[in-house]
mmCIF file of all heavy atoms in Angstrom:
data_model
loop_
_atom_site.group_PDB
_atom_site.id
_atom_site.type_symbol
_atom_site.label_atom_id
_atom_site.label_comp_id
_atom_site.label_asym_id
_atom_site.label_seq_id
_atom_site.Cartn_x
_atom_site.Cartn_y
_atom_site.Cartn_z
ATOM 1 N N GLY A 1 0.798 -1.220 0.000
ATOM 2 C CA GLY A 1 0.000 0.000 0.000
ATOM 3 C C GLY A 1 0.828 1.265 0.000
ATOM 4 O O GLY A 1 0.483 2.238 -0.688
ATOM 5 N N GLU A 2 1.951 1.285 0.741
ATOM 6 C CA GLU A 2 2.747 2.507 0.826
ATOM 7 C C GLU A 2 3.421 2.836 -0.499
ATOM 8 O O GLU A 2 3.594 4.013 -0.836
ATOM 9 C CB GLU A 2 3.783 2.381 1.951
ATOM 10 C CG GLU A 2 4.800 1.280 1.793
ATOM 11 C CD GLU A 2 5.624 1.042 3.057
ATOM 12 O OE1 GLU A 2 5.021 0.821 4.138
ATOM 13 O OE2 GLU A 2 6.848 1.094 2.967
ATOM 14 N N VAL A 3 3.772 1.808 -1.264
ATOM 15 C CA VAL A 3 4.371 2.047 -2.583
ATOM 16 C C VAL A 3 3.302 2.489 -3.579
ATOM 17 O O VAL A 3 3.500 3.444 -4.351
ATOM 18 C CB VAL A 3 5.095 0.785 -3.088
ATOM 19 C CG1 VAL A 3 5.574 0.966 -4.524
ATOM 20 C CG2 VAL A 3 6.280 0.464 -2.177
ATOM 21 N N LEU A 4 2.158 1.827 -3.564
ATOM 22 C CA LEU A 4 1.080 2.210 -4.477
ATOM 23 C C LEU A 4 0.576 3.615 -4.181
ATOM 24 O O LEU A 4 0.169 4.340 -5.098
ATOM 25 C CB LEU A 4 -0.076 1.201 -4.381
ATOM 26 C CG LEU A 4 0.236 -0.224 -4.852
ATOM 27 C CD1 LEU A 4 -1.020 -1.089 -4.766
ATOM 28 C CD2 LEU A 4 0.796 -0.233 -6.262
ATOM 29 N N HIS A 5 0.634 4.035 -2.912
ATOM 30 C CA HIS A 5 0.232 5.400 -2.557
ATOM 31 C C HIS A 5 1.114 6.425 -3.274
ATOM 32 O O HIS A 5 0.611 7.432 -3.811
ATOM 33 C CB HIS A 5 0.323 5.593 -1.038
ATOM 34 C CG HIS A 5 0.050 6.987 -0.585
ATOM 35 N ND1 HIS A 5 -1.219 7.528 -0.536
ATOM 36 C CD2 HIS A 5 0.906 7.988 -0.184
ATOM 37 C CE1 HIS A 5 -1.160 8.779 -0.123
ATOM 38 N NE2 HIS A 5 0.121 9.086 0.102
ATOM 39 N N VAL A 6 2.420 6.175 -3.299
ATOM 40 C CA VAL A 6 3.341 7.076 -3.991
ATOM 41 C C VAL A 6 3.060 7.072 -5.486
ATOM 42 O O VAL A 6 3.060 8.125 -6.138
ATOM 43 C CB VAL A 6 4.805 6.670 -3.716
ATOM 44 C CG1 VAL A 6 5.767 7.494 -4.572
ATOM 45 C CG2 VAL A 6 5.134 6.846 -2.239
ATOM 46 N N MET A 7 2.796 5.892 -6.045
ATOM 47 C CA MET A 7 2.528 5.801 -7.480
ATOM 48 C C MET A 7 1.216 6.491 -7.848
ATOM 49 O O MET A 7 1.115 7.120 -8.907
ATOM 50 C CB MET A 7 2.513 4.337 -7.904
ATOM 51 C CG MET A 7 3.889 3.667 -7.789
ATOM 52 S SD MET A 7 3.850 1.896 -8.140
ATOM 53 C CE MET A 7 3.425 1.904 -9.886
ATOM 54 N N ARG A 8 0.217 6.387 -6.982
ATOM 55 C CA ARG A 8 -1.039 7.102 -7.236
ATOM 56 C C ARG A 8 -0.809 8.608 -7.273
ATOM 57 O O ARG A 8 -1.378 9.324 -8.103
ATOM 58 C CB ARG A 8 -2.068 6.756 -6.154
ATOM 59 C CG ARG A 8 -2.658 5.366 -6.272
ATOM 60 C CD ARG A 8 -3.806 5.167 -5.288
ATOM 61 N NE ARG A 8 -4.332 3.817 -5.351
ATOM 62 C CZ ARG A 8 -3.936 2.827 -4.564
ATOM 63 N NH1 ARG A 8 -3.010 3.053 -3.626
ATOM 64 N NH2 ARG A 8 -4.447 1.614 -4.685
ATOM 65 N N ALA A 9 0.044 9.092 -6.347
ATOM 66 C CA ALA A 9 0.348 10.528 -6.322
ATOM 67 C C ALA A 9 1.030 10.962 -7.620
ATOM 68 O O ALA A 9 0.736 12.041 -8.162
ATOM 69 C CB ALA A 9 1.240 10.856 -5.123
ATOM 70 N N LEU A 10 1.921 10.127 -8.146
ATOM 71 C CA LEU A 10 2.578 10.440 -9.419
ATOM 72 C C LEU A 10 1.564 10.481 -10.556
ATOM 73 O O LEU A 10 1.644 11.340 -11.444
ATOM 74 C CB LEU A 10 3.665 9.407 -9.723
ATOM 75 C CG LEU A 10 4.898 9.418 -8.824
ATOM 76 C CD1 LEU A 10 5.831 8.271 -9.196
ATOM 77 C CD2 LEU A 10 5.634 10.748 -8.926
ATOM 78 N N ALA A 11 0.615 9.553 -10.531
ATOM 79 C CA ALA A 11 -0.420 9.537 -11.561
ATOM 80 C C ALA A 11 -1.254 10.816 -11.511
ATOM 81 O O ALA A 11 -1.597 11.393 -12.552
ATOM 82 C CB ALA A 11 -1.316 8.307 -11.388
ATOM 83 N N GLU A 12 -1.551 11.279 -10.305
ATOM 84 C CA GLU A 12 -2.325 12.515 -10.149
ATOM 85 C C GLU A 12 -1.554 13.733 -10.640
ATOM 86 O O GLU A 12 -2.152 14.746 -11.013
ATOM 87 C CB GLU A 12 -2.722 12.691 -8.684
ATOM 88 C CG GLU A 12 -3.754 11.664 -8.208
ATOM 89 C CD GLU A 12 -3.977 11.713 -6.710
ATOM 90 O OE1 GLU A 12 -3.342 12.562 -6.039
ATOM 91 O OE2 GLU A 12 -4.777 10.891 -6.206
ATOM 92 N N GLU A 13 -0.219 13.624 -10.631
ATOM 93 C CA GLU A 13 0.622 14.716 -11.136
ATOM 94 C C GLU A 13 0.895 14.574 -12.635
ATOM 95 O O GLU A 13 1.670 15.329 -13.214
ATOM 96 C CB GLU A 13 1.950 14.726 -10.378
ATOM 97 C CG GLU A 13 1.783 15.034 -8.900
ATOM 98 C CD GLU A 13 3.035 14.723 -8.087
ATOM 99 O OE1 GLU A 13 4.099 14.454 -8.707
ATOM 100 O OE2 GLU A 13 2.957 14.735 -6.853
ATOM 101 N N HIS A 14 0.238 13.592 -13.261
ATOM 102 C CA HIS A 14 0.330 13.370 -14.713
ATOM 103 C C HIS A 14 1.727 12.965 -15.174
ATOM 104 O O HIS A 14 2.167 13.335 -16.268
ATOM 105 C CB HIS A 14 -0.148 14.615 -15.484
ATOM 106 C CG HIS A 14 -1.528 15.053 -15.099
ATOM 107 N ND1 HIS A 14 -2.662 14.311 -15.386
ATOM 108 C CD2 HIS A 14 -1.964 16.148 -14.417
ATOM 109 C CE1 HIS A 14 -3.728 14.935 -14.905
ATOM 110 N NE2 HIS A 14 -3.342 16.041 -14.311
ATOM 111 N N MET A 15 2.409 12.187 -14.344
ATOM 112 C CA MET A 15 3.653 11.578 -14.778
ATOM 113 C C MET A 15 3.328 10.447 -15.756
ATOM 114 O O MET A 15 2.445 9.628 -15.483
ATOM 115 C CB MET A 15 4.435 11.029 -13.579
ATOM 116 C CG MET A 15 5.621 10.142 -13.944
ATOM 117 S SD MET A 15 6.907 10.972 -14.901
ATOM 118 C CE MET A 15 7.633 12.021 -13.623
ATOM 119 N N THR A 16 3.999 10.406 -16.884
ATOM 120 C CA THR A 16 3.814 9.312 -17.832
ATOM 121 C C THR A 16 4.409 8.048 -17.228
ATOM 122 O O THR A 16 5.577 8.018 -16.847
ATOM 123 C CB THR A 16 4.518 9.625 -19.163
ATOM 124 O OG1 THR A 16 4.049 10.883 -19.658
ATOM 125 C CG2 THR A 16 4.247 8.537 -20.197
ATOM 126 N N MET A 17 3.595 6.988 -17.133
ATOM 127 C CA MET A 17 4.054 5.758 -16.494
ATOM 128 C C MET A 17 3.604 4.540 -17.295
ATOM 129 O O MET A 17 2.451 4.466 -17.747
ATOM 130 C CB MET A 17 3.513 5.658 -15.062
ATOM 131 C CG MET A 17 3.979 6.771 -14.137
ATOM 132 S SD MET A 17 3.657 6.421 -12.380
ATOM 133 C CE MET A 17 1.872 6.510 -12.308
ATOM 134 N N LEU A 18 4.533 3.605 -17.454
ATOM 135 C CA LEU A 18 4.231 2.295 -18.031
ATOM 136 C C LEU A 18 4.521 1.283 -16.938
ATOM 137 O O LEU A 18 5.662 1.153 -16.486
ATOM 138 C CB LEU A 18 5.099 2.048 -19.267
ATOM 139 C CG LEU A 18 4.874 0.737 -20.027
ATOM 140 C CD1 LEU A 18 3.421 0.601 -20.475
ATOM 141 C CD2 LEU A 18 5.807 0.657 -21.237
ATOM 142 N N VAL A 19 3.475 0.572 -16.496
ATOM 143 C CA VAL A 19 3.558 -0.222 -15.267
ATOM 144 C C VAL A 19 3.219 -1.685 -15.530
ATOM 145 O O VAL A 19 2.102 -1.997 -15.960
ATOM 146 C CB VAL A 19 2.591 0.323 -14.190
ATOM 147 C CG1 VAL A 19 2.770 -0.431 -12.874
ATOM 148 C CG2 VAL A 19 2.778 1.824 -13.986
ATOM 149 N N VAL A 20 4.182 -2.570 -15.294
ATOM 150 C CA VAL A 20 3.901 -4.006 -15.268
ATOM 151 C C VAL A 20 3.417 -4.341 -13.866
ATOM 152 O O VAL A 20 4.118 -4.080 -12.880
ATOM 153 C CB VAL A 20 5.164 -4.832 -15.601
ATOM 154 C CG1 VAL A 20 4.888 -6.325 -15.391
ATOM 155 C CG2 VAL A 20 5.606 -4.580 -17.029
ATOM 156 N N THR A 21 2.221 -4.877 -13.762
ATOM 157 C CA THR A 21 1.665 -5.105 -12.424
ATOM 158 C C THR A 21 0.681 -6.260 -12.409
ATOM 159 O O THR A 21 0.065 -6.588 -13.439
ATOM 160 C CB THR A 21 0.969 -3.835 -11.903
ATOM 161 O OG1 THR A 21 0.532 -4.049 -10.560
ATOM 162 C CG2 THR A 21 -0.225 -3.450 -12.765
ATOM 163 N N HIS A 22 0.550 -6.890 -11.244
ATOM 164 C CA HIS A 22 -0.511 -7.849 -10.985
ATOM 165 C C HIS A 22 -1.546 -7.240 -10.040
ATOM 166 O O HIS A 22 -2.486 -7.933 -9.637
ATOM 167 C CB HIS A 22 0.059 -9.123 -10.361
ATOM 168 C CG HIS A 22 0.885 -9.933 -11.315
ATOM 169 N ND1 HIS A 22 0.352 -10.602 -12.394
ATOM 170 C CD2 HIS A 22 2.221 -10.170 -11.369
ATOM 171 C CE1 HIS A 22 1.300 -11.231 -13.055
ATOM 172 N NE2 HIS A 22 2.452 -10.975 -12.458
ATOM 173 N N GLU A 23 -1.353 -5.967 -9.688
ATOM 174 C CA GLU A 23 -2.281 -5.286 -8.782
ATOM 175 C C GLU A 23 -3.469 -4.750 -9.591
ATOM 176 O O GLU A 23 -3.470 -3.615 -10.074
ATOM 177 C CB GLU A 23 -1.568 -4.139 -8.055
ATOM 178 C CG GLU A 23 -0.411 -4.573 -7.174
ATOM 179 C CD GLU A 23 -0.886 -5.307 -5.932
ATOM 180 O OE1 GLU A 23 -2.067 -5.152 -5.555
ATOM 181 O OE2 GLU A 23 -0.067 -6.038 -5.337
ATOM 182 N N ILE A 24 -4.471 -5.594 -9.748
ATOM 183 C CA ILE A 24 -5.609 -5.257 -10.605
ATOM 184 C C ILE A 24 -6.358 -4.036 -10.088
ATOM 185 O O ILE A 24 -6.793 -3.176 -10.860
ATOM 186 C CB ILE A 24 -6.560 -6.458 -10.740
ATOM 187 C CG1 ILE A 24 -5.835 -7.637 -11.398
ATOM 188 C CG2 ILE A 24 -7.794 -6.083 -11.544
ATOM 189 C CD1 ILE A 24 -5.291 -7.326 -12.775
ATOM 190 N N GLN A 25 -6.510 -3.929 -8.764
ATOM 191 C CA GLN A 25 -7.227 -2.787 -8.204
ATOM 192 C C GLN A 25 -6.489 -1.489 -8.506
ATOM 193 O O GLN A 25 -7.105 -0.471 -8.845
ATOM 194 C CB GLN A 25 -7.410 -2.949 -6.696
ATOM 195 C CG GLN A 25 -8.273 -1.862 -6.048
ATOM 196 C CD GLN A 25 -9.676 -1.791 -6.638
ATOM 197 O OE1 GLN A 25 -10.261 -2.811 -6.989
ATOM 198 N NE2 GLN A 25 -10.219 -0.585 -6.742
ATOM 199 N N PHE A 26 -5.154 -1.513 -8.408
ATOM 200 C CA PHE A 26 -4.362 -0.330 -8.747
ATOM 201 C C PHE A 26 -4.564 0.031 -10.210
ATOM 202 O O PHE A 26 -4.778 1.203 -10.554
ATOM 203 C CB PHE A 26 -2.883 -0.596 -8.468
ATOM 204 C CG PHE A 26 -1.963 0.490 -8.961
ATOM 205 C CD1 PHE A 26 -1.818 1.664 -8.245
ATOM 206 C CD2 PHE A 26 -1.256 0.339 -10.144
ATOM 207 C CE1 PHE A 26 -0.978 2.678 -8.696
ATOM 208 C CE2 PHE A 26 -0.411 1.344 -10.606
ATOM 209 C CZ PHE A 26 -0.275 2.505 -9.881
#
């Protein structure tokens, strides 16, 4: 959760991100 929280904040700041993930909810 603490890592995904940081990544969510980056998404809100419109950082371009390409993410390999198994976290479906994220």
Side-chain angles (χ1 to χ4, degrees):
E2 62 191 54
V3 173
L4 295 183
H5 175 75
V6 173
M7 293 175 66
R8 286 188 183 94
L10 291 176
E12 291 171 1
E13 296 166 10
H14 305 292
M15 169 62 73
T16 305
M17 298 194 291
L18 182 57
V19 185
V20 173
T21 185
H22 290 291
E23 298 289 340
I24 298 301
Q25 186 59 36
F26 172 78

